[in-house]
Amino acid sequence: MYMKKFYICIVAALWACTAFAQNGRVKQLFNEGWYFHKGEVPQGEKAAFDHSSWRALELPHDWSVEGPFSNQWASGTGYLPAGIGWYRKTFDIAPELQAKHLFLYFDGVYKNSEVWINGHSLGKRPNGHIPFQYEITPYLNKGGKNTIAVRVDHSKVADSRWYNGSGIYRNVYLIAKEPVHISQWGVAFATPEVSAAQAKATAAVKLENKSAAAAQVLVKGQLLNQQGQAVAEAQKTVSLGAGKATEAGLEFQVRDPQLWSPQNPNLYQLKVSLAVNNQTTDELLQNVGFRTFRFDASEGFFLNGQNMKIKGVCIHQDAGALGSAVPQEVWERRLQSLKALGCNAIRMSHYPHQDYLYDLCDKMGFLVQDEAFDEWEVGKNKWIEGWNVGTPGKDGAFEHFTEWAARDLRDMILRNRNHPSIIMWSIGNEIDYPNDPYTHPVLDEGRNPQIYGKGYVPGNPPASRLGEIAEMLVKEAKKWDTTRPVTAALAGVAMSNHTSYPDALDIVGYNYQEYRYEEDHRKYPNRIIYGSENGDALEAWLAVENNPYISSQFIWTAFDFLGEARSWPSRSSGAGILDMAGFPKPDYYFRQSLWASEPMIYIGTSEIPKEEERRGRNPAPHWNWPTGEQVRVSSYTNCEEAELFLNGKSLGRKKLSDATGRVIQWDVAYQPGTLLVKGYNAGKEVSTHALKTAGEPYAIKVVADKKQLNAANKELAQLEVMVVDKEGNPVYAADNEIIVAVEGPAKLLGLESGSLTSHEDYRSNKRKAQHGKLLAYVQSQHKPGKVNISFQSSGLKPQEVSLTVD
């Protein structure tokens, strides 16, 4: 058990999914050529079944987001349908792969999947967020046709507190290996010593021999710097019997290692190879990073010896119009916005996320909390008629917890244990939410703002079970990784403090419990406390900034998400500081004023409230009001001073240090024109932001994030669509319906406005703008050529954008 200090040194790895062909093995995306049917299909697993009439599609695929939205479904899962679906694919084995061992790897199928190859059942996986792999070699027709069938059972639609989607919504891979190969997730790294001068690294390599003969295997590892030069090498020869597995340990010494951090996410490449009789049988290339960190009960968090605050956000995996089948480029754009915010950490709430997302966090520099479960042995409330409205359902992942929890936790850790970004494993989110379901007599006297059903409920499971289950899960986690602390996000600390639950954890996350920080730090001085889920109020951040023993805050949430909705017609959560299209809301800029190191300033406007309201009622970025009306202008900034100008005339210069709640405000009589704010540090202008009065909607303006797309990788372009006036000013109030047409080797994946209440068909090529904006997703196909994308709306000047696919 870790008490005051938790020290960790690790070198971490990243599976190189882009390097599909390596010596001895082939890894390729297996997303094309699938057929889908929504509904039950008797004998759909049979090899001879004719699926030619089914819908042809490519993976990843989420059928729930295809709708329609309806209040007959559940608010928790976005008022979208679920059900049962079948996928089938027929394929040949390439001649060069026929002598190899073949595996199917699914990064995630939601949920209750069963997979067959040529009519043979390969297995089932209830958990919809855990990757899994099956060997298909024994059942293949190597010289003929082979058919994969996958049944997905999401018939219990109200099974979650948020939207998960339905189907094979993540990538599928076909992996071919020689008989002597590295096992699945078979490389583990640790560094017992790391400093700026030198690092000692170890690599444990698990290998298998599926041949009929014993083998002498040379296991070799190389560490390559960013120039491709070897900085360390190690090798070992092991004897491996027929049909056996073993483990080989390698050690590396690296001088002057370039350390990984959010500011400088330095990565190396690790190459691990196996050779038998001087012939390479397997090789893996992985990105690796060196860093050391520790948590301290009194001083907070240290990375590479430096004390720092963790400025984190929570995320769900979906992206509005795309549901849960989200291309990597979408999250790359989203993470870039979080970097600009000043964010340095991501909480993968409340389940393991897409494989590529961890890769991006490694490359872009985000600390990560990886989380396994939202419920354990008993189900939580799943709202059906709106959040906290009506009678909740109880279906959920808990139904398979007893049988699968240990394996799910193991597989999460094995897949991700080598990522330099990950600094903690979470075994649960708000499992101790009072009376949902666990209870304790202290609820008759305790103070807790999150009590569903007031007071102690004797018929509910006793809170003592929390500690018992936590101890089991912590023990399981430490079987597979001892280099990181095990944690959980506690919502009912007043109750959990009367159990062994907090003591079972290495570090203890508090959700929305800032008011307990000082009291619990005093009462439990050896407990490492951090903010694991928090609101975005200034006071919540000051509880981190002003207390050295509190290391972090994880804002709920970074982005709006499908599900966890209020009552119909709402169908999404608006908790984010960015909307579902990834467009920043005003709260984004307030958070940026707290977290960003570069000078920034923002202004927005609102009605003058009758009473003082939090941050001026989310001041919107527009300057359109009735002439003469008094308007509240609010500025968010990290600059020392701000000066407001209206049509070139100064309306006053104010100091941030004098501002209430870190918001500088002016009350202004509206005049059309330009509202400009300037930010100053040491008397020097360092940042500006302007709003201009917009005229009537006149034209469509489109900005694409790229003009060239790769055909082989089916690259995604993200196009920001704006309604502007004759002068090119954005029209914030515009809600015009925009029609998109794509010609050439690309297709429209979806349109997202960020609206929480729109019930428009996400499969449509038209959508209403919100706040004068839309985001269009256009994906290239496997064919070079020119792509023309037109954007039209009645009464507006159209826009056409050209992209090149090569």
Side-chain angles (χ1 to χ4, degrees):
M1 183 68 194
Y2 296 86
M3 300 302 287
K4 281 192 175 180
K5 293 184 178 179
F6 189 102
Y7 291 93
I8 302 140
C9 295
I10 188 170
V11 53
L14 165 68
W15 294 100
C17 293
T18 55
F20 291 117
Q22 299 177 1
N23 289 337
R25 78 161 56 196
V26 176
K27 180 180 181 181
Q28 61 188 40
L29 280 171
F30 207 55
N31 289 342
E32 297 183 3
W34 290 82
Y35 289 80
F36 170 72
H37 175 83
K38 185 177 178 182
E40 188 59 280
V41 179
Q43 299 189 348
E45 78 280 8
K46 300 296 184 183
F49 184 89
D50 181 9
H51 58 251
S52 59
S53 64
W54 291 10
R55 173 184 166 192
L57 53 71
E58 298 175 11
L59 304 178
H61 172 240
D62 173 4
W63 82 69
S64 286
V65 79
E66 297 172 355
F69 291 102
S70 172
N71 59 3
Q72 68 178 299
W73 309 122
S75 58
T77 50
Y79 291 113
L80 283 165
I84 293 174
W86 282 81
Y87 297 84
R88 286 173 61 90
K89 173 174 177 167
T90 298
F91 65 103
D92 298 319
I93 304 299
E96 63 270 20
L97 302 183
Q98 291 182 7
K100 296 179 182 286
H101 286 256
L102 299 183
F103 303 82
L104 284 176
Y105 182 98
F106 295 83
D107 193 44
V109 181
Y110 200 87
K111 64 177 191 174
N112 294 316
S113 66
E114 183 170 5
V115 182
W116 293 264
I117 179 75
N118 297 328
H120 297 274
S121 177
L122 298 173
K124 300 179 180 181
R125 197 62 182 247
N127 192 313
H129 304 112
I130 289 287
F132 55 91
Q133 175 177 288
Y134 299 122
E135 182 168 5
I136 61 176
T137 313
Y139 314 110
L140 290 173
N141 300 318
K142 293 189 176 180
K145 299 292 183 182
N146 296 274
T147 300
I148 303 166
V150 182
R151 181 181 185 270
V152 183
D153 184 356
H154 188 192
S155 54
K156 295 181 178 179
V157 63
D159 66 331
S160 175
R161 300 188 302 112
W162 60 86
Y163 177 86
N164 287 298
S166 302
I168 308 177
Y169 69 100
R170 296 184 186 170
N171 288 324
V172 179
Y173 301 92
L174 178 68
I175 302 173
K177 302 179 183 181
E178 296 293 337
V180 176
H181 58 257
I182 299 168
S183 302
Q184 180 188 11
W185 306 319
V187 179
F189 289 86
T191 54
E193 300 170 12
V194 172
S195 70
Q198 183 143 332
K200 176 184 177 182
T202 63
V205 182
K206 186 177 179 182
L207 53 151
E208 303 175 31
N209 180 4
K210 289 184 173 289
S211 74
Q216 293 291 110
V217 185
L218 176 64
V219 184
K220 186 176 180 179
Q222 284 186 312
L223 278 167
L224 310 176
N225 63 18
Q226 295 182 22
Q227 291 73 44
Q229 301 166 331
V231 297
E233 295 185 353
Q235 65 182 44
K236 188 174 185 178
T237 300
V238 297
S239 298
L240 188 54
K244 301 294 184 180
T246 192
E247 188 173 286
L250 303 177
E251 292 189 2
F252 305 91
Q253 296 287 342
V254 179
R255 299 181 64 180
D256 303 320
Q258 298 297 302
L259 302 184
W260 184 97
S261 70
Q263 296 78 19
N264 297 292
N266 296 306
L267 296 172
Y268 291 75
Q269 267 204 326
L270 178 96
K271 181 164 70 173
V272 178
S273 64
L274 308 182
V276 178
N277 296 326
N278 294 320
Q279 296 293 317
T280 299
T281 65
D282 203 357
E283 182 179 283
L284 284 176
L285 291 174
Q286 307 172 1
N287 288 330
V288 301
F290 295 84
R291 84 282 192 273
T292 179
F293 69 90
R294 63 183 174 93
F295 287 91
D296 184 279
S298 298
E299 299 179 18
F301 178 73
F302 294 78
L303 180 68
N304 300 328
Q306 300 297 311
N307 186 247
M308 64 176 286
K309 295 295 187 181
I310 298 173
K311 303 171 181 178
V313 294
C314 303
I315 61 170
H316 276 307
Q317 67 183 356
D318 70 277
L322 304 176
S324 292
V326 185
Q328 176 174 322
E329 295 94 333
V330 175
W331 274 108
E332 188 167 2
R333 171 178 173 265
R334 288 180 162 205
L335 293 181
Q336 287 168 351
S337 295
L338 294 180
K339 271 290 181 181
L341 177 73
C343 172
N344 61 20
I346 306 291
R347 180 185 179 210
M348 303 291 186
S349 46
H350 303 294
Y351 43 82
H353 284 234
Q354 301 96 323
D355 54 4
Y356 65 73
L357 190 51
Y358 300 91
D359 298 348
L360 289 174
C361 289
D362 290 342
K363 293 175 182 177
M364 299 177 70
F366 289 93
L367 302 166
V368 170
Q369 183 209 83
D370 209 11
E371 193 157 62
F373 307 113
D374 186 60
E375 58 188 21
W376 289 348
E377 62 180 357
V378 184
K380 289 182 178 179
N381 293 320
K382 314 300 190 310
W383 299 104
I384 297 172
E385 301 174 58
W387 187 70
N388 282 353
V389 175
T391 302
K394 293 290 186 179
D395 294 334
F398 76 94
E399 298 168 11
H400 303 282
F401 182 82
T402 300
E403 180 182 358
W404 285 92
R407 184 172 176 182
D408 287 345
L409 181 60
R410 178 200 72 181
D411 287 356
M412 179 187 84
I413 293 172
L414 289 181
R415 178 182 72 153
N416 291 336
R417 62 184 169 181
N418 295 326
H419 286 280
S421 54
I422 297 177
I423 58 169
M424 64 181 93
W425 306 116
S426 172
I427 58 173
N429 169 66
E430 297 188 347
I431 309 297
D432 65 338
Y433 200 105
N435 295 321
D436 189 16
Y438 297 96
T439 193
H440 190 279
V442 73
L443 297 180
D444 284 333
E445 58 188 71
R447 53 187 178 93
N448 193 304
Q450 295 180 310
I451 296 177
Y452 173 74
K454 295 181 179 178
Y456 175 53
V457 181
N460 281 22
S464 59
R465 285 292 291 155
L466 294 166
E468 296 166 4
I469 299 172
E471 289 168 11
M472 178 273 290
L473 293 174
V474 170
K475 182 178 180 181
E476 182 66 28
K478 291 182 181 297
K479 287 182 184 177
W480 311 108
D481 182 36
T482 58
T483 67
R484 297 174 179 85
V486 180
T487 186
L490 276 58
V493 180
M495 180 176 74
S496 290
N497 278 344
H498 291 266
T499 75
S500 60
Y501 188 16
D503 288 339
L505 306 170
D506 297 317
I507 60 177
V508 186
Y510 280 36
N511 283 13
Y512 309 101
Q513 306 279 288
E514 290 88 356
Y515 73 99
R516 297 199 64 89
Y517 286 169
E518 183 177 354
E519 176 184 335
D520 279 16
H521 178 60
R522 186 168 57 250
K523 189 173 182 180
Y524 309 102
N526 292 326
R527 179 182 294 178
I528 297 171
I529 301 170
Y530 71 98
S532 45
E533 184 175 315
N534 310 87
D536 65 351
L538 174 62
E539 293 74 17
W541 173 243
L542 294 178
V544 181
E545 191 173 62
N546 296 336
N547 291 308
Y549 56 88
I550 300 296
S551 61
S552 72
Q553 178 183 68
F554 285 89
I555 296 294
W556 187 261
T557 57
F559 302 91
D560 290 347
F561 56 93
L562 292 167
E564 202 168 14
R566 304 286 175 170
S567 297
W568 182 266
S570 175
R571 43 76 166 182
S572 297
S573 170
I577 56 176
L578 299 98
D579 67 20
M580 287 184 290
F583 296 134
K585 301 181 186 180
D587 275 354
Y588 172 93
Y589 298 102
F590 181 73
R591 184 60 37 181
Q592 190 178 42
S593 76
L594 300 177
W595 284 0
S597 56
E598 294 297 317
M600 61 77 58
I601 197 163
Y602 165 89
I603 48 171
T605 64
S606 62
E607 295 178 350
I608 297 176
K610 294 178 181 179
E611 300 177 0
E612 286 303 313
E613 294 180 3
R614 172 173 165 260
R615 298 209 293 274
R617 197 181 289 175
N618 277 329
H622 72 83
W623 188 235
N624 281 77
W625 295 88
T627 299
E629 181 171 330
Q630 288 291 115
V631 178
R632 172 70 52 86
V633 179
S634 299
S635 177
Y636 302 154
T637 186
N638 57 9
C639 300
E640 296 168 358
E641 295 180 293
E643 185 174 10
L644 186 69
F645 298 83
L646 178 56
N647 296 327
K649 180 182 179 181
S650 175
L651 301 182
R653 187 160 167 170
K654 299 186 178 185
K655 294 182 178 181
L656 179 62
S657 60
D658 294 335
T660 300
R662 289 186 56 96
V663 181
I664 299 175
Q665 295 181 327
W666 298 262
D667 290 342
V668 178
Y670 173 76
Q671 296 176 17
T674 300
L675 191 69
L676 170 70
V677 68
K678 296 182 179 181
Y680 302 90
N681 283 335
K684 181 180 178 182
E685 179 185 319
V686 291
S687 186
T688 64
H689 183 216
L691 301 175
K692 293 185 178 181
T693 301
E696 293 298 312
Y698 173 76
I700 298 172
K701 180 181 178 181
V702 181
V703 177
D705 66 342
K706 61 190 70 170
K707 289 297 184 74
Q708 281 193 307
L709 301 177
N710 183 278
N713 294 336
K714 290 200 164 182
E715 194 172 0
L716 187 76
Q718 298 170 81
L719 299 96
E720 295 188 10
V721 185
M722 292 164 279
V723 178
V724 297
D725 66 9
K726 277 190 175 182
E727 304 301 318
N729 299 312
V731 183
Y732 184 79
D735 62 355
N736 305 65
E737 183 178 75
I738 297 172
I739 302 171
V740 182
V742 179
E743 295 181 355
K747 66 178 181 180
L748 179 68
L749 285 190
L751 298 170
E752 181 54 65
S753 68
S755 172
L756 304 176
T757 57
S758 168
H759 301 143
E760 297 163 283
D761 187 348
Y762 267 141
R763 295 175 295 179
S764 175
N765 70 330
K766 58 186 179 180
R767 195 165 196 85
K768 286 187 174 182
Q770 177 174 258
H771 302 319
K773 287 186 175 183
L774 272 181
L775 186 69
Y777 299 107
V778 175
Q779 187 179 52
S780 67
Q781 301 299 289
H782 288 319
K783 183 181 178 181
K786 186 177 181 180
V787 177
N788 293 316
I789 311 168
S790 66
F791 298 83
Q792 300 183 52
S793 181
S794 177
L796 298 183
K797 184 180 178 180
Q799 174 78 45
E800 187 169 289
V801 174
S802 294
L803 306 178
T804 301
V805 179
D806 54 20

